[in-house]
Amino acid sequence: MHKPRLQLQASFDIAYLQYLDKQGQATQPLPDFATPDWLSHCHRQMQLARLVDDRAVKLQRTGRLGTYPSTLGQEAIGVATANALMAEDVYCPYYRETGALLERGVEIEEILAIWGGDERGQNFQHAPKDLPICVPIATQMLHAAGVAFALKYRHQQNNQPLQVAVASSGEGATSKGDFYEAMNLAGVWKLPMVFVVNNNQWAISVPRNAQTATQTIAQKAIAAGIPALQVDGNDVVAVAWAVRDAMERARRGEGAALVEAMSYRLCDHTTADDASRYRSASELEQAWQWEPVKRLDNYLRAQGLWSDAKQQDLDRELAQVMEVALTNWESRAPEPVTAMFDHLYARLPEGLYEQYDQLRDEQQGVAE
Amino acid sequence: MAAQDNGITLVEAVTQALAFELKNDPQVVVFGQDIGANGGVFRATDGLQKTYGADRVLDTPLAETMIAGIAVGMATQGLRPIAEFQFMGFIYPGLDHILSHAARMRNRTRGRLSCPIVYRAPYGGGIHAPEHHSESTEAMFTHIPGLRVVVPSSPARAYGLLLAAIRDPDPVLFLEPKRIYRAAKQPVPDDGEALPLDRAFVLREGADLTLVAWGASIKETLAAAEQLSREGIEADVIDPATLKPLDIHTIIDSLEKTRRCVIVHEAARFGGLGAEIAAQIQEYAFDLLDAPVQRVTGYDAVMPYYQLENAYLPGVERILAGARAALEYVRDSGE
C-alpha cells in the first residue's frame, strides 16, 4: 500500500495549569493576587455555595423547591470565575452556577426563587446587566458573543474601558453547534469574551469520552483561532489565574479565549437524576479525594491561615446567613398571577386584554 | 434617495427605513450574510455599509443560529440589532433563540432585560427559487408568546411598519413578501413616520364580503375584489399586517356589515393563521355570520419546486371561488 508523503501544516499544544495539588500543597509559587485575604474569601464563598447547594437539595427533597442542579464539587470554578469579573463585565451563566452567582452578588433568596418557580429570582438586583441563567444547552455562548459585540461597540463609540462578556457551560455544551458558532464569531470578530467550560466529566449520563473524541475540550478552540488552556478546576488559584489572564487579554483588545476547567460532578445531574444508574461508586469515591474545598482548606491550614476555631466561627456565620435568606425567601409576598402578562411585552397588546382580565378575575374569584 | 414621481418599490422602502434608523439611532446595528458589500441577496441593504460603516452594517459568518443568538446578547445590552436571514426557509436553525430567548427575555427577567430585535426574512413563493427558498411558515411564529410577527404588503407599509418594528421595545419577526419586492412602486416620503403595529389596515371598502389577506397574497386578493366589483359585489379587503398580536376587532367590525368572510393565505392550510382567525370570528361573531368562514390557502403539501408553484399558490380564480362559496351559501333551516 502506498502512503503519500505528508507535510506538517499546523500544530498546537494545550497547556495544563495547577497551583495546588490534590493534598493542597503548592506545586509552584502562587500568583500575586492569591493573598491570604483573597484565599480566605474564596474559601468562604466556596463553603457558602456548598451550604446553599446542600439546603437547596434538601428543600427539593421536602417538596419546597422544584428540580435543582447541584454544584457540589465544582465550587472553585464558579467562585474563581465570577471573582475575576469586574462589576461592569457581563456574566452569561449556564444553570449549574450557584457559586458564581453568589460571588456575582446574586442573593441567596434570588437563587431559591429561581428554582422555587418564581421568575423574580432572575431579576439579579446587584448584577443588572448579567444574563439570566440559561437552561437550554450552549445558547448562552451566542448571547455572550452578542453581549461582547455590544461591549466592544460601546467601547469604540465612547472610548470607555473595554468590558468583557463571560460565558460558562458544562463540557456537554461543547458538543453543540452554538458553541462552535460562538467561538468562530468570537475569533473572527475579535470579541472581548471568555468561555469557561466546566468539564465535570458527565453530561447527565453520558461520560466525556462518549461526548467527544478530542484529547481535551480546550483544543476545540484552536479550530476557531482562539487560545485555550486546561486548568485543574478543583484548584481555585489555577482557575482564577486562567480566567484573569483571559480577561486581561480580552480587555487589551486581543480577543476571546477559552478555559477548560477539569472537575467532577460529585452530585447527581439534578435532583431529578440518580447518577448511581450510570456511574460507579468507586469512581465517585475517588473523585472526592480531589474536591476543591478540602484542598484549599489543607493549604490554608498548612500556611497557618486556618484552624478548627476559625472554621467553627465560619460555620456559625454562614448558617446565620442561610437562615436569614431562607426567612426572606419564604416571607416573600407571592407574585400576582397577572405578572405572566405584565412582563410579556413592554405594553400589553390590546388583543390580550381579554385574557388578562379573565386571569385576574379567576384569581379574584369574580368569574363564575 | 429614490422618492421620484413613480415612487419606490417595497424592497427599496425596506432599505429606506433601515437607512433612516441607522442615521438617527446610533444603537442600531444591521447584520447578516452577504448584507455588507453585496447589499443582501435581494439588495435590501444596498449601500448601507458604504454609508454607515462596517462596524454597524456587518457581514457575519454563515450561521443562522449564530445570527439569531447574537442578536439576543446585543439587545440585552441596549443595542437595537436588526438581523437578516437570507430566506425564511433558512430561519429554522435560529428558532431556538427566537422562541426560547428573544421572545422570553423580558418575561424571565421580570422586565430587567429585553430584546428589542428585528429579525428580517424574505418569505413566500413565486420567484422561481430553489428548494427551501419559498416557505410561508408565519403561523409557527405567531404561536410564540412574546413575539410580534409583522408582514408588510406595500412599499409605504414596509417603510412605516419596519420603522415601528425597529423602535418597538420587543422582538419582531419582520417577514418581507419577496414576490412583491419589486411588483409595484409607490411614493414613500422618507419622513421617519412609523405606522402603528397591532393594527389592521382596511385596503378597500365594501358591504358585501370581507376578504382578509396579508403579504404577497394581497395582490391577488385586491385583483379578486376588483373583479367582484365589476360584478356588483363590493368587498372589504383587510390586511392585518401585524399577524401577532392580531387585531381581530377590525375584522369583526367589517363582519357586522358584510356577514361573510374569506381568509386568503399562501401558507399551508392546516394550523395556518386562517384557522386562528376563523376560530376567533366564530367566538366573537358567530351570530353575525350568514355563511361559514372560507379559507383559500396553499395546500397541505410541501411547497413544490417552481414548475408547480403557481398551482400551489392561491390565485385570483381560487379566491373568487372562495368568495362565491361564501356569497352563495344559504343556511339550511333543517326542519
Side-chain angles (χ1 to χ4, degrees):
Chain A
M1 271 221 305
H2 170 72
K3 235 183 162 188
R5 193 178 307 124
L6 304 173
Q7 284 185 320
L8 186 64
Q9 195 71 9
S11 64
F12 64 89
D13 295 300
I14 295 298
Y16 178 81
L17 178 68
Q18 185 191 60
Y19 283 100
L20 303 178
D21 69 10
K22 290 183 184 184
Q23 283 73 43
Q25 291 177 346
T27 54
Q28 58 176 314
L30 264 48
D32 290 344
F33 67 79
T35 61
D37 278 355
W38 184 88
L39 291 165
S40 300
H41 171 79
C42 292
H43 190 226
R44 176 191 189 277
Q45 290 297 92
M46 286 160 66
Q47 293 191 63
L48 177 61
R50 190 163 287 190
L51 176 65
V52 172
D53 209 66
D54 179 63
R55 291 303 293 270
V57 171
K58 289 194 172 89
L59 287 166
Q60 191 280 333
R61 299 290 185 229
T62 54
R64 291 155 75 196
L65 215 65
T67 301
Y68 174 80
S70 171
T71 188
L72 184 63
Q74 303 141 91
E75 294 89 347
I77 301 170
V79 169
T81 299
N83 184 266
L85 273 68
M86 295 188 188
E88 304 75 24
D89 294 321
V90 180
Y91 186 54
C92 308
Y94 84 128
Y95 50 82
R96 194 183 301 288
E97 288 292 20
T98 294
L101 295 184
L102 291 169
E103 183 66 8
R104 212 43 201 148
V106 175
E107 298 195 342
I108 298 170
E109 47 261 55
E110 291 181 297
I111 295 170
L112 294 174
I114 294 167
W115 302 108
D118 179 347
E119 280 95 338
R120 287 176 298 178
Q122 302 255 46
N123 198 11
F124 299 177
Q125 49 179 319
H126 302 302
K129 286 296 176 186
D130 284 4
L131 295 199
I133 61 156
C134 188
V135 170
I137 303 304
T139 51
Q140 77 280 2
M141 297 180 182
L142 282 169
H143 305 159
V147 169
F149 175 87
L151 297 175
K152 187 175 176 180
Y153 183 86
R154 286 274 154 72
H155 161 71
Q156 286 167 343
Q157 290 216 319
N158 310 339
N159 218 16
Q160 287 170 345
L162 185 56
Q163 293 149 9
V164 182
V166 177
S168 71
S169 73
E171 87 284 353
T174 70
S175 298
K176 280 203 51 167
D178 291 49
F179 167 68
Y180 292 100
E181 293 184 19
M183 280 199 308
N184 184 54
L185 188 75
V188 77
W189 282 6
K190 267 201 169 189
L191 295 176
M193 75 178 287
V194 178
F195 297 82
V196 180
V197 179
N198 172 352
N199 184 348
N200 67 20
Q201 313 301 325
W202 290 91
I204 307 189
S205 66
V206 179
R208 180 226 175 280
N209 63 4
Q211 198 71 236
T212 176
T214 58
Q215 293 166 283
T216 67
I217 299 291
Q219 74 202 59
K220 295 187 177 193
I222 303 300
I226 66 175
L229 86 166
Q230 199 179 60
V231 302
D232 185 332
N234 288 0
D235 169 359
V236 73
V237 183
V239 180
W241 188 91
V243 177
R244 281 164 171 252
D245 186 61
M247 304 272 310
E248 282 165 22
R249 195 175 170 282
R251 254 186 249 291
R252 290 194 301 267
E254 293 169 29
L258 182 146
V259 176
E260 176 189 6
M262 305 297 286
S263 185
Y264 192 87
R265 196 188 78 209
L266 294 173
C267 44
D268 297 332
H269 166 68
T270 66
T271 49
D273 176 48
D274 173 11
S276 70
R277 290 167 59 86
Y278 51 80
R279 68 181 187 190
S280 70
S282 65
E283 179 184 311
L284 184 62
E285 199 182 333
Q286 210 175 9
W288 270 104
Q289 303 306 308
W290 53 295
E291 63 93 3
V293 176
K294 184 71 184 158
R295 187 182 307 193
L296 182 56
D297 200 87
N298 285 348
Y299 178 79
L300 291 174
R301 282 172 191 266
Q303 302 299 308
L305 296 167
W306 203 243
S307 64
D308 288 345
K310 285 184 175 175
Q311 184 63 49
Q312 282 165 12
D313 288 347
L314 181 62
D315 286 344
R316 264 195 300 275
E317 185 216 323
L318 296 184
Q320 172 89 23
V321 166
M322 189 70 223
E323 281 318 305
V324 171
L326 272 171
T327 307
N328 289 345
W329 171 59
E330 287 183 323
S331 58
R332 272 178 177 230
E335 204 176 17
V337 293
T338 47
M340 72 174 81
F341 282 117
D342 289 341
H343 302 289
L344 188 58
Y345 295 92
R347 287 178 308 279
L348 190 72
E350 268 182 49
L352 288 175
Y353 286 0
E354 194 178 316
Q355 290 184 32
Y356 182 95
D357 290 345
Q358 180 191 346
L359 175 66
R360 190 198 48 207
D361 292 350
E362 274 173 8
Q363 196 60 21
Q364 292 172 350
V366 173
E368 290 299 325
Chain B
M1 275 179 59
Q4 300 129 359
D5 289 344
N6 58 348
I8 59 175
T9 63
L10 196 156
V11 69
E12 287 166 343
V14 167
T15 317
Q16 186 170 289
L18 293 173
F20 189 94
E21 284 306 88
L22 277 164
K23 185 176 175 196
N24 290 286
D25 183 352
Q27 306 312 326
V28 169
V29 292
V30 177
F31 56 94
Q33 287 162 219
D34 301 305
I35 67 131
N38 194 35
V41 291
F42 289 100
R43 307 289 175 262
T45 53
D46 200 16
L48 296 181
Q49 190 180 64
K50 212 166 198 176
T51 309
Y52 298 101
D55 55 342
R56 296 188 66 202
V57 180
L58 303 104
D59 278 320
T60 65
L62 198 169
E64 286 83 6
T65 306
M66 179 271 289
I67 290 170
I70 61 171
V72 171
M74 291 177 184
T76 60
Q77 306 303 311
L79 295 188
R80 297 245 163 199
I82 304 172
E84 176 178 303
F85 295 97
Q86 262 179 2
F87 289 88
M88 192 193 199
F90 304 155
I91 208 170
Y92 311 114
L95 185 61
D96 191 10
H97 289 276
I98 298 171
L99 195 162
S100 304
H101 296 292
R104 296 170 58 134
M105 188 61 77
R106 178 184 296 283
N107 188 64
R108 61 202 274 253
T109 62
R110 284 305 184 247
R112 176 170 62 91
L113 299 174
S114 61
C115 283
I117 302 167
V118 179
Y119 292 113
R120 294 179 41 241
Y123 94 116
I127 64 155
H128 292 199
E131 194 181 11
H132 304 299
H133 286 63
S134 303
E135 276 63 20
S136 181
T137 48
E138 66 271 26
M140 272 173 42
F141 294 90
T142 63
H143 191 63
I144 301 173
L147 191 65
R148 272 190 170 74
V149 181
V150 176
V151 180
S153 62
S154 73
R157 283 189 291 282
Y159 180 76
L161 290 171
L162 182 52
L163 286 178
I166 299 168
R167 294 168 190 170
D168 192 86
D170 293 310
V172 177
L173 179 65
F174 195 80
L175 297 174
E176 296 163 12
K178 59 183 179 284
R179 183 157 62 87
I180 58 169
Y181 256 158
R182 297 185 171 82
K185 289 189 174 187
Q186 180 182 24
V188 182
D190 193 13
D191 54 9
E193 287 287 321
L195 286 168
L197 300 175
D198 311 346
R199 284 272 181 281
F201 296 87
V202 180
L203 305 186
R204 184 184 172 111
E205 293 194 55
D208 302 320
L209 179 67
T210 300
L211 296 171
V212 180
W214 53 90
S217 289
I218 283 289
K219 191 170 171 234
E220 287 75 28
T221 303
L222 285 170
E226 193 67 35
Q227 172 68 30
L228 289 168
S229 176
R230 285 196 288 275
E231 298 169 18
I233 297 155
E234 297 300 336
D236 268 356
V237 175
I238 297 175
D239 173 8
T242 303
L243 304 185
K244 161 89 170 218
L246 182 73
D247 170 15
I248 193 68
H249 297 291
T250 297
I251 296 169
I252 302 298
D253 288 349
S254 170
L255 277 167
E256 302 230 1
K257 180 175 62 173
T258 66
R259 310 179 76 86
R260 294 169 197 268
C261 182
V262 179
I263 303 160
V264 182
H265 60 66
E266 69 174 74
R269 176 173 306 196
F270 189 94
L273 192 63
E276 174 66 29
I277 296 173
Q280 291 201 30
I281 288 172
Q282 70 85 20
E283 280 174 9
Y284 290 106
F286 182 71
D287 290 337
L288 292 177
L289 295 176
D290 283 342
V293 175
Q294 298 291 319
R295 285 183 290 163
V296 177
T297 69
Y299 294 104
D300 289 332
V302 174
M303 181 71 182
Y305 287 14
Y306 68 78
Q307 290 206 2
L308 296 183
E309 71 180 343
N310 286 338
Y312 177 92
L313 296 169
V316 175
E317 284 310 313
R318 220 190 283 168
I319 297 169
L320 285 172
R324 297 212 162 91
L327 290 162
E328 289 161 14
Y329 181 86
V330 181
R331 194 188 304 269
D332 182 348
S333 67
E335 285 171 12

